[in-house]
Amino acid sequence: MNSDAPAMAEESPPASNPPHHDLPRRHFVLHVLTLAISSIVALVPLVTGLIFVLDPLLRKKKSSGGEFVRVTSTSAIPPNGTPMAFIIRADKQDAWNKFPNSELGSVYLMKNEADEIVCFNARCPHLGCTVDYKSGKDSFVCPCHDSAFKLDGTRTNAIPPRDMDTLEVEVRDDTEVWVRFENFAAGTHDKKPV
């Protein structure tokens, strides 16, 4: 090597390059930021979706029984005490779906001796079949297992565990008959709303 040649200066890293010992820290911070932003981007729709799906299940159930439904007019109920069957229609809603104007069940409406309107759920308290009115016998009879009831709803044999289920009635505007419709558990001695 020629001793007269100028000594080659050692090349130093360009000023823009960070020192070697800073690289792992910058990568660590970059990874943490990337993980945090990715987590937020993934969690927001996930949490929103979970709230949407679980919301109907987390709502409190109404504890006051059924809702009042307009059934008929007062003039449609015979004044002589003969029971008349009516189908109950209203909007039905389960946890996620709404079914407008759906059939919820049926009732018997009749006037008693005091000229008050009485309502019975037409569902037999034995196993839930629909009870028929037998005009010749002035009684209600279940076609499934012969449960039988008087016109006032009291049972006449030991097949059903309880009398027919009465429902609350309101007459509104002197002409409209409204019923608080609800079904009750079949096969039990107690009247338990379902």
Side-chain angles (χ1 to χ4, degrees):
M1 223 172 132
N2 186 358
S3 62
D4 294 337
M8 291 187 65
E10 285 188 25
E11 288 189 24
S12 61
S16 61
N17 288 340
H20 183 68
H21 63 276
D22 284 347
L23 284 177
R25 186 182 312 161
R26 288 187 179 181
H27 284 202
F28 175 75
V29 171
L30 186 61
H31 285 297
V32 168
L33 283 175
T34 303
L35 181 63
I37 292 171
S38 300
S39 298
I40 291 170
V41 168
L43 285 177
V44 167
L46 179 66
V47 170
T48 305
L50 279 175
I51 291 171
F52 176 77
V53 169
L54 296 178
D55 179 61
L57 299 177
L58 299 176
R59 286 189 213 151
K60 285 186 175 179
K61 284 189 170 183
K62 294 178 183 175
S63 59
S64 61
E67 296 181 10
F68 273 97
V69 178
R70 185 185 181 281
V71 179
T72 186
S73 64
T74 52
S75 62
I77 302 171
N80 61 0
T82 302
M84 292 286 296
F86 294 92
I87 293 175
I88 302 295
R89 292 188 165 275
D91 294 343
K92 186 176 181 181
Q93 184 168 359
D94 64 12
W96 292 273
N97 301 306
K98 186 173 185 178
F99 306 96
N101 199 25
S102 297
E103 184 175 324
L104 304 180
S106 57
V107 297
Y108 284 103
L109 290 172
M110 55 188 286
K111 289 187 177 177
N112 62 15
E113 293 175 355
D115 204 32
E116 298 167 334
I117 297 174
V118 179
C119 182
F120 296 108
N121 190 325
R123 230 176 138 215
C124 181
H126 178 221
L127 291 178
C129 298
T130 300
V131 172
D132 294 331
Y133 167 63
K134 299 291 183 187
S135 60
K137 297 180 180 177
D138 266 348
S139 63
F140 297 102
V141 177
C142 179
C144 295
H145 301 98
D146 292 330
S147 297
F149 308 88
K150 294 179 184 175
L151 284 184
D152 64 359
T154 56
R155 58 187 176 158
T156 58
N157 60 32
I159 297 171
R162 62 178 187 266
D163 297 338
M164 289 181 73
D165 297 319
T166 56
L167 299 173
E168 189 178 348
V169 178
E170 279 186 7
V171 177
R172 300 181 182 177
D173 298 329
D174 293 329
T175 56
E176 297 177 349
V177 179
W178 291 69
V179 171
R180 183 190 295 272
F181 183 79
E182 58 186 330
N183 286 313
F184 300 91
T188 63
H189 291 280
D190 299 323
K191 190 175 166 184
K192 297 177 184 173
V194 292

